[in-house]
């Protein structure tokens, strides 16, 4: 594998899982002779996330202000673009993602069959035993239907943070990336712009610590705002691309 690959790990208060997450990647590299680089984006954590990274020589960028998930991930894309990476993988720092599935996500890009690949719990019936709460799954289905209504393409795991981008999309995301609701908005935007977006099945695990950026009490609020954002974003995108 000659491609230069960066794993972008946004982290906010992930002291319980960040070391294990990164160690798993390093161990995978050693076992399978892969060359995945790691970059943790510490989003102004108030716990020991940054101290743990520095104490274990894990490459980390420490943000001065909390930018939220969109700003943290875009920082990683800016780095990937600046250092000429061929592929960037988004990867959560909470222990949910399994590095063994990274190959499934990057293979379609390496083989030039896709520009952007989403690791999905829902694209096949039994892709993952862990599928999040029933309320969250209902919200995901509604958001998925909204994207389908606008784009005529179905994305099943619309909030998955386990995603891979090719060089063209790295450049695009480095320049422009949504601050709020980045996963569903970017999924839809890429489809509207004519990029080849693909879902592949992956297994995910429950988070090992910390708190999800989508709190349970905010689910309804989150879903309504995502749908409104998708409709506005989608109409704007259709005008630009039409």
């Amino acid at each position: 594998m000659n491609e230069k690959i960066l794993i972008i790990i946004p982290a906010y208060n992930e002291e319980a899982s960040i070391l294990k997450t990164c160690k798993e990647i390093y161990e995978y590299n050693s076992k399978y002779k892969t060359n995945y680089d790691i970059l943790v984006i510490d989003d102004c954590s108030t716990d020991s996330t940054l101290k743990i990274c520095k104490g274990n020589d894990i490459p980390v960028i420490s943000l001065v202000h909390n930018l939220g998930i969109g700003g943290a991930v875009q920082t990683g894309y800016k780095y990937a673009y600046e250092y000429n990476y061929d592929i960037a993988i988004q990867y959560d720092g909470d222990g949910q993602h399994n590095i063994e599935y990274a190959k499934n996500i990057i293979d379609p890009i390496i083989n030039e069959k896709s520009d952007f690949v989403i690791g999905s719990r829902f694209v096949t019936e039994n892709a993952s035993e862990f599928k999040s709460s029933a309320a969250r799954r209902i919200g995901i289905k509604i958001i998925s239907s909204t994207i389908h209504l606008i784009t005529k393409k179905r994305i099943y795991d619309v909030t998955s943070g386990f995603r891979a981008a090719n060089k063209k999309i790295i450049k695009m995301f480095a320049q422009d990336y949504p601050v709020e609701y980045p996963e569903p908005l970017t999924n839809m935007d890429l489809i509207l712009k004519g990029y080849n977006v693909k879902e592949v099945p992956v297994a995910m695990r429950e988070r090992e610590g910390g708190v999800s950026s989508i709190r349970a009490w905010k689910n309804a609020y989150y879903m309504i705002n995502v749908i409104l954002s998708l409709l506005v974003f989608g109409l704007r995108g259709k005008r630009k691309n039409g």
Side-chain angles (χ1 to χ4, degrees), residues 22-229:
C22 294
K23 276 188 172 180
E24 280 186 357
I25 299 170
Y26 287 136
E27 288 167 3
Y28 184 89
N29 276 340
S30 177
K31 183 176 180 179
Y32 294 101
K33 309 304 178 187
T34 48
N35 58 346
Y36 303 146
D37 289 343
I38 292 176
L39 180 66
V40 174
I41 311 298
D42 175 52
D43 194 18
C44 203
S45 295
T46 57
D47 67 358
S48 299
T49 299
L50 179 60
K51 183 179 178 181
I52 290 168
C53 289
K54 287 186 172 181
N56 289 276
D57 295 323
I58 296 167
V60 59
I61 290 176
S62 178
L63 301 180
V64 179
H65 300 288
N66 180 275
L67 298 181
I69 185 67
V73 170
Q74 188 182 29
T75 301
Y77 277 113
K78 286 177 180 290
Y79 182 96
Y81 177 64
E82 179 72 22
Y83 288 93
N84 201 32
Y85 280 89
D86 298 300
I87 297 173
I89 301 172
Q90 292 176 226
Y91 195 89
D92 288 352
D94 58 14
Q96 281 195 303
H97 298 160
N98 186 336
I99 190 59
E100 292 184 9
Y101 288 91
K103 184 179 185 300
N104 302 37
I105 292 178
I106 64 174
D107 274 355
I109 296 175
I110 291 171
N111 296 323
E112 298 184 350
K113 292 181 178 178
S114 185
D115 300 301
F116 190 75
V117 182
I118 301 162
S120 174
R121 293 162 288 182
F122 309 120
V123 72
T124 59
E125 183 101 10
N126 299 307
S128 177
E129 289 184 17
F130 172 68
K131 296 182 184 292
S132 74
S133 68
R136 180 86 177 265
R137 292 199 302 274
I138 291 168
I140 286 170
K141 285 183 178 179
I142 294 171
I143 295 167
S144 173
S145 295
T146 305
I147 293 176
H148 181 258
L149 178 70
I150 296 167
T151 67
K152 309 305 179 190
K153 180 178 172 65
R154 178 73 66 180
I155 299 293
Y156 292 92
D157 203 346
V158 291
T159 62
S160 172
F162 196 4
R163 315 192 300 169
N166 69 6
K167 213 162 191 172
K168 290 181 290 185
I169 294 174
I170 289 173
K171 180 179 180 181
M172 189 176 91
F173 283 173
Q175 295 169 345
D176 185 25
Y177 196 80
V179 175
E180 292 190 289
Y181 324 123
E183 286 88 6
L185 287 178
T186 51
N187 291 340
M188 185 182 70
D189 187 39
L190 291 174
I191 295 166
L192 289 175
K193 287 177 176 173
Y195 288 103
N196 188 330
V197 177
K198 180 180 178 67
E199 274 185 288
V200 298
V202 301
M204 293 192 192
R205 305 172 288 212
E206 288 193 68
R207 67 164 35 246
E208 296 185 358
V211 179
S212 172
S213 59
I214 307 170
R215 307 273 180 101
W217 63 271
K218 290 168 67 178
N219 271 352
Y221 174 84
Y222 173 88
M223 188 179 69
I224 291 167
N225 276 277
V226 171
I227 290 168
L228 290 174
S229 298

